[in-house]
Amino acid sequence: MPDTSAPGGAYDVVVVGAGVVGCAVARELAGHTLRVALVEASGDVGDGTSKANTAILHTGFDAVPGSLESALVREGGRRLAAYAEEAGIPVEPLGALLVAWDREQSAALPRLADKAARNGYRATRPVGAAELRAREPRLGPGALGALEVPGESVVCPWTTTLAYATQAVRSGVDLHLNCRVERADPGVPHRLVTRRGVLRARFVVNACGLHADAFDALFGRHDFTVTPRRGQLIVFDAFARGLVRHILLPVPGTLGKGVLVTPTVYGNVMLGPTAEDLDDKTDTGSTAAGLAALRERGRRILPALLDEEVTAVYAGLRAATGTDDYRVTAHPALRYVTVGGIRSTGLTASLAIAAHVLDLLRDIGLGTGPPRPRAPVRMPNLGEAGPRPYRDAERIAGDPAYGSVVCHCERVTRGEIRDALASTIAPSSLDGLRRRTRARGGRCQGFSCGAAVRAMFEEAGP
């Protein structure tokens, strides 16, 4: 069971940070005969940057050619698509349209197609204004054309992170939650002083996301600084889903991919993100100015969207380091690997990053032994494109709890909530339960079902 092993034992590898990348690394290591710990400061996996990802399964078409990010996103996309099918992670292959709204953007599209080819992605295709209008009839006036990127998909970031962590734990990895590392004493072995005791490790992997630079400093490394880049987003109700058929991308600017409009696997529509460099690594608040700017951009892209009800607004922080590439580095003398500067593409690249980290650990002396099979994992489906329990008559006949809807906005049943509360990595909060079931995530935001969901959560006593 997770989080039950008292810190103090000696591990072959300690992975610090249980976001999507840290969980992927732990899962990768679990495929070998190693004693591994996954350590997280908060009370849940995927509770930081990973929970507020834009949820795009990228092709890597617009990465910097020749960069580590380009290689890992391309490879990671292939790996995650296959893993999603195996583990039951919701994915919808919608394809993307990179829309040009002026002559300058239109002139940039051939260069982006060439860049995609240099990244090994050759399926892009120019789309004229008439075809674009036919394929996206609700698009705002003035679009001059687009570049089609048919391989782009939307994916569930919550299930992805949880699947990695669940498989790692079932395969023998110790998960220590609420276990912030406050001091490191590099040595043989390393000593990591946490709020819950001391962990000893032969090798350490830094997957601390926004705090990768601060953790590096504990090992005497000062190679880069992480600047939190806030992305605010607006989520529109499921009634907006019929307005858009593809992922609508802007022509990228200097601060990233810009504001997009995209369906989600949960059946609603997302507008965002902003890109604001901050000083505070905890500032995930939304602002009136940020939301107004998003609405202005959204009104041009898809005017009818702004007439739809808003389900939620939220903000996530990305780890910007001043370069256009990941900061993944092995430090042989320290038996330590830094996995820093992982931006929003990290969700797509996560499995390839994990394989790359394993290679780096081997290069600096970790003997992994032969591979071994991992415990199987099959996650509950949260996506609207797949079978949901409330629509499954056979499943309801076998267990009536799957026919008892608790959250009517998202159609989450008592059986799904019960299962999440008894799962390998049970949620420690109502927000964690929402990320596992979608309960309280719909248009009423828990106004109707909140009391019933809370009662089930408190009765389970996680």
Side-chain angles (χ1 to χ4, degrees):
M1 293 295 291
D3 205 23
T4 55
S5 301
Y11 291 98
D12 294 308
V13 186
V14 170
V15 181
V16 183
V20 68
V21 171
C23 291
V25 172
R27 174 193 169 275
E28 185 72 30
L29 292 167
H32 297 269
T33 309
L34 296 167
R35 188 166 186 222
V36 179
L38 176 60
V39 176
E40 169 58 40
S42 77
D44 201 358
V45 301
D47 199 31
T49 298
S50 300
K51 71 182 178 186
N53 192 281
T54 47
I56 306 295
L57 182 53
H58 295 283
T59 58
F61 78 96
D62 60 345
V64 176
S67 65
L68 180 63
E69 181 183 26
S70 171
L72 295 183
V73 170
R74 188 167 62 248
E75 174 61 20
R78 285 194 288 266
R79 290 182 181 230
L80 181 51
Y83 183 73
E85 186 170 349
E86 169 191 330
I89 298 168
V91 174
E92 284 193 57
L94 300 174
L97 293 169
L98 200 73
V99 180
W101 295 95
D102 56 41
R103 295 192 179 281
E104 183 179 350
Q105 292 180 3
S106 189
L109 295 183
R111 294 197 297 273
L112 287 165
D114 177 67
K115 187 177 187 181
R118 287 185 285 137
N119 279 314
Y121 187 78
R122 296 177 174 79
T124 62
R125 186 179 70 86
V127 174
E131 181 184 347
L132 176 60
R133 181 67 51 192
R135 296 178 65 177
E136 285 292 350
R138 298 302 189 107
L139 204 63
L144 301 179
L147 182 71
E148 182 182 16
V149 189
E152 300 270 302
S153 304
V154 292
V155 64
C156 178
W158 304 332
T159 307
T160 303
T161 306
L162 190 60
Y164 294 162
T166 298
Q167 192 166 31
V169 169
R170 288 180 182 173
S171 302
V173 171
D174 286 344
L175 173 62
H176 298 295
L177 300 173
N178 296 307
C179 194
R180 181 183 301 279
V181 177
E182 298 181 328
R183 198 181 81 226
D185 299 324
V188 185
H190 301 306
R191 293 178 74 254
L192 302 179
V193 180
T194 80
R195 292 179 176 178
R196 297 177 51 216
V198 175
L199 291 164
R200 288 178 290 148
R202 294 171 53 224
F203 293 81
V204 171
V205 175
N206 169 3
C208 294
L210 290 170
H211 304 283
D213 53 347
F215 192 87
D216 256 12
L218 299 180
F219 276 76
R221 305 297 312 185
H222 303 276
D223 301 330
F224 61 89
T225 299
V226 174
T227 299
R229 180 168 294 168
R230 182 169 60 188
Q232 301 184 49
L233 298 109
I234 301 174
V235 179
F236 290 87
D237 191 77
F239 288 125
R241 179 62 183 85
L243 298 176
V244 58
R245 302 169 180 174
H246 303 81
I247 304 164
L248 300 180
L249 299 175
V251 176
T254 54
L255 286 179
K257 295 181 174 63
V259 174
L260 58 84
V261 174
T262 179
T264 74
V265 295
Y266 319 118
N268 44 28
V269 178
M270 189 164 61
L271 168 66
T274 58
E276 311 154 54
D277 286 348
L278 307 176
D279 296 322
D280 185 352
K281 293 181 178 178
T282 66
D283 190 354
T284 55
S286 298
T287 66
L291 298 178
L294 283 182
R295 293 182 69 86
E296 182 180 348
R297 296 291 299 275
R299 184 170 287 107
R300 181 176 191 187
I301 300 169
L302 205 66
L305 183 63
L306 277 299
D307 296 330
E308 297 294 333
E309 291 184 18
V310 172
T311 298
V313 298
Y314 67 94
L317 298 173
R318 291 102 82 186
T321 62
T323 70
D324 291 331
D325 205 355
Y326 295 161
R327 300 274 195 157
V328 182
T329 308
H331 309 287
L334 288 170
R335 287 168 288 106
Y336 173 71
V337 175
T338 301
V339 189
I342 308 299
R343 300 176 298 177
S344 61
T345 56
L347 170 63
T348 299
S350 51
L351 288 176
I353 293 172
H356 182 60
V357 169
L358 180 62
D359 288 342
L360 293 176
L361 287 168
R362 284 173 170 148
D363 290 344
I364 63 175
L366 176 67
T368 59
R372 65 175 183 178
R374 302 180 189 90
V377 64
R378 186 72 185 174
M379 304 302 292
N381 172 47
L382 301 188
E384 286 298 306
R388 296 282 307 283
Y390 77 92
R391 294 189 297 211
D392 189 337
E394 184 176 346
R395 192 169 184 182
I396 294 170
D399 185 345
Y402 294 117
S404 174
V405 175
V406 177
C407 170
H408 288 266
C409 294
E410 298 296 291
R411 298 177 180 85
V412 182
T413 66
R414 186 169 296 277
E416 290 169 279
I417 296 173
R418 176 202 63 200
D419 293 349
L421 293 170
S423 62
T424 301
I425 304 173
S428 60
S429 67
L430 289 172
D431 280 344
L433 181 59
R434 176 175 54 85
R435 294 195 293 271
R436 286 160 174 81
T437 63
R438 293 172 47 183
R440 298 168 60 251
R443 68 179 64 93
C444 86
Q445 292 289 288
F447 181 82
S448 174
C449 67
V453 174
R454 177 179 289 278
M456 291 186 71
F457 178 78
E458 292 178 348
E459 183 178 351

